[in-house]
Structure formats: C-alpha cells, structure tokens
Amino acid sequence: MLETSPLETFLRGVAILLVILFFMFPIFWIVLMSFQTNETILRIPPSFIFEPTFDNYRALITGKLETNAASLDIAFMRNMGNSVLLSVGAVLLALILGVPAAYSFARHKTRFSEDIAFTLLSFRFAPPLLVLLPLTIYFQKLGLSDTYFGLIWVYQLICLPLILWIVRGYFEDISEDVEYAYRIGGHSWFETFRKIAVPLAGPGIAAAGLLAFIFAWNNFIFALVLASADKQPVTVGALAFVTASGIQYGQIAAAIVLSITPTLLLAVYAQKYLVEGLSLGAVKG
Amino acid sequence: MTEKSLKGLQLDRIVKRYKGDTVLNGISLSVDSGSTLVLFGPSGAGKTVLLRTIAGVIEPDSGQVSINGQDMSGVDPEDRGVGMAFQNFALFPHMSAYKNIASSIEVKERSASRLDAAVRSVAELLKIDQVLDHAPRALSNGQKQRTALARALVGSPSLLLLDDPLRNVDAKLRFEMRIELPALLAQQGTTVVYVTQDYKEAMALGDTIVVMTEGNIQQTGTPAEIYLSPATIDIAKQFGDPVINLFDVTPQRDNKGQYISLSNSRIYLENGIADLTNGEYVLGIRPQALRFSSASDEESIAATVEAVTPLNEKTVTLLLTAGGRELLLSRPAGLDDPEQGPVHVSFDPSAIHLFEKDSGKRVELINTKTEAVA
Amino acid sequence: MSTSQLQLHRVDKIYGVASTGVHAVKDLSMQVNAGEIVALLGSSGCGKTSTLRMIAGFEEVSSGSIEINGTPIHQLPPVRRNVAMAFEGYSLYPPLTVRDNIAFALKSAKLAKSEIASRVAHVAQLLEIENILDRYPVSISGGQQQRASLGRALIRDADLHLLDEPMGQLEPQLRAVLRARIKHFIKERGLTAILVTHDQTEANALGDRIAVMEAGLLQQYDTAAHLKNSPANLFTGTFIGEPPMNVFAASVELHDNSVHLLLAEAVTLVYASSEFDPRVLERIAGVKKLMLGIRPYAVRRAASGVVATVVANQWLGDQTHISTSFAGSNLVIVEHDRVRLNKGDEISVAIAADDLHLFDSETWVALSHGRNVA
C-alpha cells in the first residue's frame, strides 16, 4: 500500500521473469524444434543457432514424410479434422445436455440432486483406463467402437461434468427474484429459462464450453483405445512419428505446434471468460 | 356482488416448512379489494416467503390462496394475474427499461400499439419516460426502483405485491416515494400487499397492518390500533423511534387500590381490571409521553441528563434516574431543553402501557392516575 | 484519557493515473479539535470513506498532508498512527471470542488483567453484549458483530477513534439509545472521534460538527443546527433534513414596501420589506431566478394564507406528514400532533419570512436565510 523501494520493484521483476521462463520454456523449445531437422535437434550440446527449415510443416501438410530410409504416408491433416469434429461435436452435445441439467441442479433442489451432481463430477476423478476396458467390450457389442458418435459419447465423460459444474455456479449466481419477476410477468418456466437464465449465464456457458473444448482436444487415451487410425485425433496421430527407423522429433514438434495453435488462440481470445469460468462462477463479471 | 367477491386476497391456514423449520405457521388473513395491507415484521418473520406464496413462485405445504375469490391451488405464477416488485429491483440486466416494463404485458397484449401506449403511460406516471431506452446498469438507484414499480404496475393487475420496494433507495427518495405511493396505488384501484421492516412505511401506507414474527401473526389492525394499543412488548418496541421505555414493575395494593410505584410516585390502576398485585409486569412509556417538569412537582422523577441527541426535528435526551434506570425522552426540537445536570421528568399516566412480563401480552388499563408518595 | 487534534491540509485522493483516474477527494482541508466528534456525511461515492482510509493509513494521500497534534502522520504505516478503527465490515477475528476481540488491543498494550476485565465489562454493558462475550463472531447476528466491532474500537486509548458506518446494521430498536450512550461515553472520556456515515440521523445525533461531502468536495462543515438553519448551498439544504426541504423555483419582485416571491401557477408570497435585512433585498434584487427552500416543519397551517390541496396525510405515531399540491409542485408539511385531514381537503398555509431560504438557481449558492444574508 505504501511506497515500495526500487530494490523491491527490481526483485519482484526478477521473480516474475523466472516464473515466466519456467512455464514458457518448454513451449519455446518446441517451437524452435519444429523448425529444425532431426540432426540439429539431436546435437550435443543443444544450441539456439541453426538454419530454420520448413520441411517438418511441409511434410505434415502434404502428408508425405521423406526420410533417409523410406517415404512414409502420414495422416496428420486428417487427424486435425478428426480432432475438430470430435471436440466440437462433444462440446455441442455436452452443452445441449449439460446446460438444462445445470439449471435443474441450480434451481430445483430435490433430495438427491446434490448426490447426482457429485456423482457426475466424480467421473472426473476416476482414471480413464478404469472405464475403458468395460467400455471397449460394450462398444464392440453395440457397434459403437470406431465410430465418431461412440467417441463423442465417451467424450461426455470429460465435457459434461465440466459444463455442468461451471454453468451451475453461474445459474446459482442469478438472483431467483429476476426469474420470478419474469414468470409473474406471464411467462412459462421454459420461456424464463430461455430468455432470462441462459442469456444471463452466457459468459459462464461460453467459458465452460471453451474449457470443455480444450480438454476434449487434448484427450489422448479414449481415442487411442476406442478409435482406429482414420478416426484418431492429433494427440494420438502424433504417435505415428515414432517409427521403426527412429523418432521424428522435428515432425512431432511441428505437429504439436499446429495442434496447440487452435486451443491457444481460443484461450488467449477468451482469457477473461476462462478465468471466471474456472472459479466456478464465483467471480461475477 | 357477494360478500366474498369483495376480498381481493384471502389466505387460509398457509403452512410452509423448510428442513423442519416452520417458516409460515398457519397464516390466515384477508384483504379487501382495493385496499392496502402491510406485512410488517423483522427479517426472518416469514413476510417474503408469504408474499412469494401468494405470487405462486413458492408452493405452500398446506393451505389455500384465493385471489378475487378464486382458488389459486395449482395455478402457475404466470397465470395468477398479479404484479410484483422486489426489494433488490430484480430488473433484467440484458433488457432496456422499456423492455423490462413491457415484459409484464407482452404475453397478454398482442397489439403492439396498445403495449407501447401502456408502457409509456406508466413510465410517465413514474417519471421515467426519459430513460426508457437505458439498460438497468445505466439507471440511478431511484430510476431502477421506479422501473421495477412500473413493471409491476403496467398490466393494472388486480393484486399488487410489493416486497420492501423502498429498502434499497436513499432516505430522500424513500420519503418521496412513501408520499407518492398511496395516490399512485389509489389511481390503479388495485389490492396491495406491501412488505416492510420500517414501521413508518407501515403506518403511512397501510389501511391494515399485519405484524408477523417467526411465521405467526402477532396483531392485525389499523395503524392507530397497533401504535396506540400494541398487543405485545415486541410490537410496542417495533413501532416508535426512539424506542419505548420499558421497566419491570410489580403492582402493589394499598387502601386506595392497585398501584405501580415508579421512583417516588404511584400510578393507581382503575379497579375495573383484574388483580395484578405481586405479579411481574413490564411498564412502557413512549419517549414523547415524557416531559420535563419542575422539582416542585411531587410526582416527578429525578434524573440526570446523560446525552442529548437530535433526531429529525426532535430532541432525544438520555436520562439516568436516581434509581439507575435509563429513560429516553423525546420532544420537538427548538424547545428549551436542558443540556446537562439534574432534571425532573413527569408523564401523563394515561399514556402508559402495561404488559405481562412472561408472555409479553398487553394488559388493558383504564383511567390510570398518578399520585405522589406521601 | 487522550485528547488530540487532527488537521487535514489540502488533501487530494486520485485513484489511478492523475489525468484519467477517479478524483475521489478534492482539496480537502479541515480540522478536528481535541475531544470533538466529527461526522463525515455523504452518499456513496462522495469521498467520505476515502478520507477516513487516508486518516487511518489504508490509503496514501495523493497530495496534501495529515497531522495529529502538529506531527505529520500521512507517511506513517497504519500501525504507527495510534488510531482505533471500527470497520464497516466488522472485521472481527474469527478464532477469538467476542471478549478477546474487544480486549485484543489492550492485551498487546500490556494492560493489567483486572483493568482489561473492568473495561471490557463496561463497554459490553454499554453496547448490550454482555451475554455474548464468550461466543465467537460466526455465531452472532450482524447487529451483534457490529456492536462488538464498535466495542473493540471504543475501548482503546488512541489519539483518534475512527468509526466507519458504525451503526448501519444495528437493530432499529437499539439505535436511539446506543447513539446516546456512545455519545455519552466518548464525551465522558474526552475522546476525539471521526464517524463516517450516510445516515444524517446518526450524524446529527453524534456529531458536534458535520462535514457534508459530495463529489469529493467538502460542501459545508458546521454544527447540525447551522446545517439545518443556514445551509451554504442548495445541495446541503436539500440533503440535510428529514423529510427533505421543499424547493420551488421563484422570481422576485421588489415593491416599495413589500417583497413578492412569484412561484409557479401564479402563487405569490408577499412579505413586508421591513422583515428582511436591507442587504438581503440588495442581494436578491439582481437575481432573476432563484430557488426557494422551505423546511417541512416551518410550514404552518393558518386561518388565512396561500391555499394548498392535501394529497396525502400520513400519521407516523409521533408526527404527521402532510403532502400538499402547491404552486405546481409538492409542499410537505410536518406537524408533531396527529392531524385529521383527508385527500382533497384545501388548507391555508403560512410561511414566515424567518423560514425562507433563498438560493441562486444557477450556482446553488445560498443568498439568504430568513431575515439575514447567507
């Protein structure tokens, strides 16, 4: 509150710099790697000085990987497409199911509503592998394994609890009186939900959707087990660069850069919403 | 018209419990069509829950709500035809003041021009016609409150529910609205249920006041009945600023009859009432019933001035009696009040109130008179 | 016993950058004498709380100085300023009982145990919290927490006692008596105290002097009586007083022996020129448009006079508020007795020259109060 000395200001700056370095260095290093060939990456000692190359990106986008040994087909762009389809689909479905459910949990407290809400959240606690084995068998029986729909369904394990809990907090923050006022004005409960509750919880719904999208995008294990090559998202697709003839670090780095770009852009764009959303609606806009 | 159809609102043994707590303990009351009933009580008395039960947004566990003679059981809030204004205004933040007001009639009123005319006329009445296109956050507190009132009034509902609508506006606005409201409500001819914690609002606006505590009705009456003959100690304390002076007393008897002794005077109670001798009672005297008197007045009480505090054109003096009791005395400002030192005070014995100490219930007194102790 | 004098000299507070920031307090100079109780009064955002926080040391001054007994303190951290503060949000220490909360500062000051115990007992009795001394803050009501917080501040020996909205949450029935007791306590011990409040009743009751603030500017710094009888401008005039001052736009005509005040709807108030100090006439002769302020208590019903029509008549137990339609606006009349008048009744009102407050309608500056120049 009172004046700070120049030394204090300086030390504070150094501390902030250290934190930034610690968190940003891996990303920085990966970006550097993506512009290098395997040889320059594997140099010892590593160096910041190299001749940048776009070969890695070219290989990913054209789908042809030329190595010393052979020419390899890679499906990276297809994987990107799968990622978009799966994540967007999963988030949309989760919003359609989760927003009304969140409203119900926020407004119509019944005897078991708290338990049900917690059970849904607890899906997030269980290790995914625990669910995966039985799921694989069920999916095979139901003919759902290796379908987009099946994957989107499983992705609800990630998206639905997130949306439910974040959006519920936002609904709870809306004064009940505001909704009562609208109902007394002659509108049905569904009108009230649509015209009052959803618009007022808008920022929360957007934040939850965004967060769910990022989590879905970054998922690895579900798609690894339940989908074959042509349905796999980028996270799994990157495995293709671990080949018999060696690990293609350059391409992996480039794939990572490309695959984190959409989520990173989204996150930067919606930073404010995200922070609010993460505090479960506790911070009002 | 039958007798029953004259009731704008009738409640029959409304009960509501939350997790074992009884919030409304069998409330029955009725309001004449076109009159104003004030629900008065401290927070937690159940006033707001009762109001919401009438509006239909809370369902009672048992009991019946009838509006204009029609049973409202199972009728959704949107179909009850009531208007309601909330303590926190409850405006829709994403709609302009105009849309806020229009929302109350947009479902019923299909004609756009009639809707527009209705919104504009109520806005003019409440002096917010200049700010109709503003969003709620761009409105001042007073404008928000008027918008909320306009939204409740616009459909000319036959029953208007006002939940402490003046609570969150400043003193000046509150006063202005208190003066304006009766004319406004009379113009609409609606039945009104008005919730407040402010006894002045209750007295100013109510044709009838219902005093509630902890889910029960304590007293129902006109403002004069409640102020002049409070049914319990609590009600006597709640109506009046500064608060009524209260003393524990034990009536005695001598050859002239029953009396209560206070300092060096005896207040004789008329023989017509029951024998109170040796019982535990509480005597109440309103601060404005006390007056300064001269030392020569034998019935007066000796005291010293502790502090003098002005209160809205009144001067409130805190006195400490010779017996160590605190007394508040209130007089119109501008009179020659002693600022400090020893004083004598006296009072008109007909102005005293007597309550049973245990139950807090009022004891009716007739023709009390004071005499000095010989 | 401690008596200290506080001096604020040309204090400014700007939040954010000087050019774009919020100028919360503007060029504030004022002095609080030793043993004086001063109230900082204003609506929210007027700068009163910023001022208090600068005195306490929770905010830096942007420019200017603050001195206690001639020693600058505005550079010192809060703990070295020797001020005691009661916070609006109570800020009681949750792990301590009410008793330990109140005694906290005394314990760190290494006072004898018996001394601490007797002081706590005294303050607890004063604030009616004896029965909750061994409870924890979470288990008591808001009003009780506020009283505990007040006790913690009042019990200390400090150069200065700062009270931020100390009574906002108090139970209404306790307010009048607690105000009087606290005033007595502060005066008896000769403490210097600054009270921040938005409630003029509180400011009037406690403050020896009241600093009225609005938009960061000190509007007037005077005793309650002077604020009421000689407001420096129209803001103070209408802000102070409950119910608020009646205000009418007027123009003046000076005749040979009389003064005519022309209001709307051809209402004219006529006074003999001899009723005014000649300097008043000189001063208002050149002003075309002025504002006429009349206190509601100053309006008398008279056998003959100007006609007003009753709009509302509200009896509040110890006074009656009558709202009338007069000169195209509302004229509110307050009387101490119960008045029986109905809506639509016509009454004659008289306003004495002594009770006229004239303001310049452009600058809002007061021109005259009664017979005298402002």
Side-chain angles (χ1 to χ4, degrees), chain B residues 198-210:
Chain B
D198 178 343
Y199 86 91
K200 291 181 183 170
E201 254 169 58
M203 291 189 64
L205 300 176
D207 295 313
T208 310
I209 300 175
V210 169

Side-chain angles (χ1 to χ4, degrees), chain B residues 67-360:
Chain B
I67 297 174
N68 294 321
Q70 286 195 305
D71 181 10
M72 286 291 138
S73 314
V75 179
D76 281 331
E78 60 266 34
D79 300 325
R80 294 194 177 196
V82 301
M84 184 160 176
F86 295 82
Q87 190 193 108
N88 56 12
F89 313 137
L91 295 175
F92 314 128
H94 56 310
M95 297 182 191
S96 66
Y98 183 97
K99 287 213 167 132
N100 263 281
I101 300 170
S103 75
S104 286
I105 47 169
E106 67 195 10
V107 178
K108 283 185 300 188
E109 185 58 83
R110 291 286 165 200
S111 145
S113 62
R114 270 196 306 237
L115 184 142
D116 186 68
V119 172
R120 295 200 183 274
S121 96
V122 75
E124 208 169 308
L125 194 67
L126 284 159
K127 300 174 203 147
I128 43 167
D129 40 333
Q130 301 302 318
V131 293
L132 280 177
D133 54 343
H134 290 26
R137 67 175 171 284
L139 298 175
S140 72
N141 238 13
Q143 289 165 339
K144 279 184 201 160
Q145 188 249 327
R146 282 163 184 271
T147 307
L149 267 180
R151 189 178 63 186
L153 281 170
V154 67
S156 302
S158 65
L159 177 62
L160 189 61
L161 308 173
L162 303 175
D163 186 3
D164 216 344
L166 306 186
R167 183 104 192 262
N168 290 329
V169 295
D170 66 49
K172 200 169 148 190
L173 266 170
R174 198 179 316 144
F175 174 78
E176 283 171 8
M177 281 311 291
R178 197 177 82 204
I179 289 281
E180 259 178 67
L181 260 178
L184 210 71
L185 299 176
Q187 202 170 330
Q188 303 260 333
T190 60
T191 310
V192 181
V193 180
Y194 189 104
V195 162
T196 183
Q197 295 194 42
D198 178 343
Y199 86 91
K200 291 181 183 170
E201 254 169 58
M203 291 189 64
L205 300 176
D207 295 313
T208 310
I209 300 175
V210 169
V211 184
M212 288 181 69
T213 12
E214 291 172 359
N216 291 297
I217 293 179
Q218 300 292 325
Q219 188 175 6
T220 303
T222 62
E225 283 164 1
I226 299 218
Y227 188 82
L228 300 173
S229 322
T232 67
I233 296 180
D234 275 341
I235 298 173
K237 280 159 81 178
Q238 284 165 16
F239 281 74
D241 184 24
V243 68
I244 190 167
N245 293 296
L246 296 168
F247 310 101
D248 290 349
V249 293
T250 305
Q252 303 292 328
R253 185 180 287 276
D254 65 10
N255 52 10
K256 288 183 199 156
Q258 286 189 76
Y259 68 89
I260 293 166
S261 80
L262 203 66
S263 279
N264 53 344
S265 65
R266 287 179 176 181
I267 305 164
Y268 283 93
L269 310 173
E270 186 71 13
N271 287 330
I273 64 166
D275 187 13
L276 309 177
T277 316
N278 293 326
E280 293 201 316
Y281 292 88
V282 175
L283 172 79
I285 310 170
R286 295 214 183 266
Q288 62 270 26
L290 288 169
R291 58 178 180 268
F292 290 111
S293 61
S294 69
S296 60
D297 180 353
E298 292 173 325
E299 292 142 21
S300 66
I301 301 167
T304 45
V305 174
E306 291 267 290
V308 179
T309 56
L311 174 78
N312 304 339
E313 296 295 325
K314 290 182 284 188
T315 304
V316 177
T317 311
L318 177 67
L319 304 163
L320 197 63
T321 66
R325 282 168 159 166
E326 277 181 331
L327 267 182
L328 284 172
L329 181 151
S330 157
R331 300 209 306 163
L335 301 176
D336 208 6
D337 286 333
E339 289 284 326
Q340 54 186 8
V343 291
H344 284 79
V345 292
S346 57
F347 55 90
D348 177 355
S350 68
I352 65 166
H353 300 266
L354 197 66
F355 305 95
E356 289 172 8
K357 187 169 184 194
D358 291 336
S359 66

Side-chain angles (χ1 to χ4, degrees), chain A residues 1 29-30 38 50 56 58 63 81 91 117-118 149 154 163 167 178-179 205 210 212 230 240 244 264 280:
Chain A
M1 298 268 180
W29 195 245
I30 291 222
N38 245 7
F50 59 89
N56 298 323
R58 192 174 304 125
V91 169
F118 186 78
F149 179 74
V154 177
I163 283 174
V167 175
V178 172
E179 290 178 28
I205 295 172
L210 215 64
D230 64 331
L264 203 65
L280 284 176

Side-chain angles (χ1 to χ4, degrees), chain B residues 171-172 175-176 178-180 182-183 186 197 199-201 203-205 223-224 227-228 234 237-238 241-243 288 305-314 316 318 326 328 330-333, chain C residues 43 128 172-177 179-181 183-184 200-201 204-206 224 228 238-239 241-244 295 297 311-319 321-323 330 332 334 336 338 343:
Chain B
K172 200 169 148 190
F175 174 78
E176 283 171 8
R178 197 177 82 204
I179 289 281
E180 259 178 67
Q197 295 194 42
Y199 86 91
K200 291 181 183 170
E201 254 169 58
M203 291 189 64
L205 300 176
Y227 188 82
L228 300 173
D234 275 341
K237 280 159 81 178
Q238 284 165 16
D241 184 24
V243 68
Q288 62 270 26
V305 174
E306 291 267 290
V308 179
T309 56
L311 174 78
N312 304 339
E313 296 295 325
K314 290 182 284 188
V316 177
L318 177 67
E326 277 181 331
L328 284 172
S330 157
R331 300 209 306 163
Chain C
S43 41
E128 296 190 17
Q173 300 148 28
L174 272 175
R175 274 184 204 169
V177 70
R179 282 196 290 256
R181 282 191 206 151
K183 186 169 184 177
H184 179 66
Q200 53 172 303
T201 312
N204 281 330
L206 284 169
K228 198 180 78 191
T238 51
F239 185 72
E242 233 181 294
R295 296 265 175 222
Y297 292 87
V311 176
N313 177 15
Q314 303 182 338
W315 177 61
L316 306 176
D318 56 349
Q319 45 183 241
H321 293 180
I322 307 156
S323 172
N330 271 331
V332 174
V334 174
H336 288 284
R338 189 171 179 189
K343 198 182 162 201

Side-chain angles (χ1 to χ4, degrees), chain C residues 80-240:
Chain C
R80 289 180 51 206
R81 297 190 184 196
N82 195 23
V83 296
M85 183 153 173
F87 295 87
E88 190 185 0
Y90 324 135
S91 305
L92 295 172
Y93 310 117
L96 300 185
T97 59
V98 170
R99 183 193 306 280
D100 292 339
N101 261 289
I102 294 175
F104 190 81
L106 300 186
K107 282 185 182 161
S108 13
K110 304 255 161 40
L111 255 70
K113 273 216 173 99
S114 59
E115 167 75 10
I116 295 177
S118 83
R119 279 209 207 179
V120 172
H122 180 52
V123 168
Q125 189 193 9
L126 180 93
L127 297 167
E128 296 190 17
I129 46 175
E130 297 128 300
N131 54 341
I132 51 162
L133 277 177
D134 292 312
R135 303 205 9 210
Y136 289 91
V138 286
S139 69
I140 59 180
S141 73
Q144 290 170 328
Q145 289 188 45
Q146 188 157 42
R147 281 183 270 154
S149 161
L150 251 172
R152 187 176 57 178
L154 288 176
I155 202 167
R156 285 184 56 192
D157 297 308
D159 285 339
L160 202 55
H161 285 75
L162 306 177
L163 313 173
D164 191 2
E165 301 278 5
M167 303 194 186
Q169 299 306 316
L170 286 192
E171 301 78 350
Q173 300 148 28
L174 272 175
R175 274 184 204 169
V177 70
L178 279 193
R179 282 196 290 256
R181 282 191 206 151
I182 289 167
K183 186 169 184 177
H184 179 66
F185 179 87
I186 294 176
K187 286 292 164 197
E188 195 181 47
R189 301 185 61 201
L191 307 178
T192 309
I194 299 179
L195 153 87
V196 157
T197 180
H198 70 278
D199 178 0
Q200 53 172 303
T201 312
E202 212 169 289
N204 281 330
L206 284 169
D208 295 316
R209 283 193 288 169
I210 299 169
V212 179
M213 294 185 74
E214 171 67 9
L217 285 170
L218 183 62
Q219 301 288 328
Q220 193 169 358
Y221 184 28
D222 222 323
T223 62
H226 272 111
L227 289 179
K228 198 180 78 191
N229 299 325
S230 340
N233 54 39
L234 191 58
F235 175 81
T236 315
T238 51
F239 185 72
I240 298 285

